[in-house]
Amino acid sequence: MTTDTTSGTATGATGRNRPAVLGGAPAFPDGLPLTRVRVPDREGLLGRLAGVLDSGMLTNGPTVRRLEEEAAALMRVPHVVAVSNCTAGLMLVLQAAGVDGRRPVLMPGFTFSATAHAAHWAGGSPLFAEAREQDVTLDPADAEARLKAADSPAALMATHVYGTPCQTEELQRIADAAGVPLVYDAAHGLGSARRGVPVGNFGLAEVFSMSPTKVAVAGEGGLVATRDAALAETLRTARDYGNPGDYDTLFPGLNARMSELHAAVGLTWLAGLPERVAHRGALVAEFARAAAGVPGLRLALPEEGDTSTFKDLTLILDAAEFGLDNRQLAAALKAEGIDTRRYFFPPVHRQKSYAHLGQAEELPRTDRLAASVLTVPLWSHMDAATVRRVADAVVRVQPFAAEVAAALGRV
Ligand SMILES: *Cc1c(COP(=O)(O)O)cnc(C)c1O
């Protein structure tokens, strides 16, 4: 490991190397936010926006169509339908897939609340299953067991958590055996790939988010990718109130259209996405090298041969080995000026929204993982030196863990 005079290493106990929480100099005196949004091509975007404004068509225009085509080409999937956001896209896909009657929709407890909310709004009822120890995506074996025990399940959902591709082959087999559609919350996965196949090609449909905390941004927005032409057609009607064009609506749809202005922003972010995803991967590899060998610390990583967008760079702590739990490490990093989040805590099965389901005690592994994760800053234009400095801040706090825990206990 190299010695950096500004940030120090884990080895010394000199004042310079002491964690900021114990009085050392903070790694980022000006602060380091979790995400930082930077428009990739401002001039190009302003030109596109001017074009939209000049056209007088602010919705239902050619820019949305073009975003759909470019996203479909990028994912090598036949159909992409743009929507106002990922949550609405999931609702409409689940509605189209026949979710109704408050039947169970099996999904991970370790996901963002919107996965469950979409199932609820579509007319289903979430049924939560465990996460895999390795990468915190849905555990296929646990999902299969709970699906088999469920009364008339309506669908299986899985989330590519942080951009890590799910166990797509196993999940498809399980969904087929149960006779239910498989729908992916791919909010984090625009640019991910499973064994070389772009995310977007799995299950009945995959739904992406283009909100500002994601890797490809439209301001607000979502994309549904599917190989099913009939589903794509239904979704085009569904996002427009269920109106096929003559105002004699076919079913209760939503206004879930993406505006032309948002599509213009989305196109700007889609250009160069593979390069930005590759850069994020290189930054995570840099972090992994800098933090290698720290007891009780690992990263949420995709399987060998898979590609993650690394929407988040997430640490998984073994508190007994590391000496601090995720909240204590978060407090120590805050003193360094480093912003963090516990993604996802509380897990959805523990949230007040779903207390009535009585599943709060049913996912012990997910509870433990949710209490172990800590997401640290990463963005597409971050440089390697910054990510190393974040890693060094984590590395140098560990040898002081007992002292840090005691100091935090006193505040
Ligand atoms: C952000 C997010 C969503 C919601 O996306 P919106 O576009 O904001 O509706 C859904 N699922 C996951 C896992 C997310 O992170």
Side-chain angles (χ1 to χ4, degrees), residues 85-87 111-112 114-115 159 185 187-188 209 211 214 220-221 344:
N85 57 67
C86 174
T87 310
T111 184
F112 185 59
T115 319
T159 303
D185 180 336
H188 303 174
S209 174
S211 74
K214 312 301 201 266
E220 293 285 350
F344 299 104

Side-chain angles (χ1 to χ4, degrees), residues 28 30-34 36 336-340 377 379 382 386 390:
F28 295 91
D30 299 330
L32 190 73
L34 196 72
R36 200 174 265 172
E336 303 286 354
I338 300 169
D339 191 20
T340 61
W379 54 80
M382 188 182 265
T386 304
V390 176

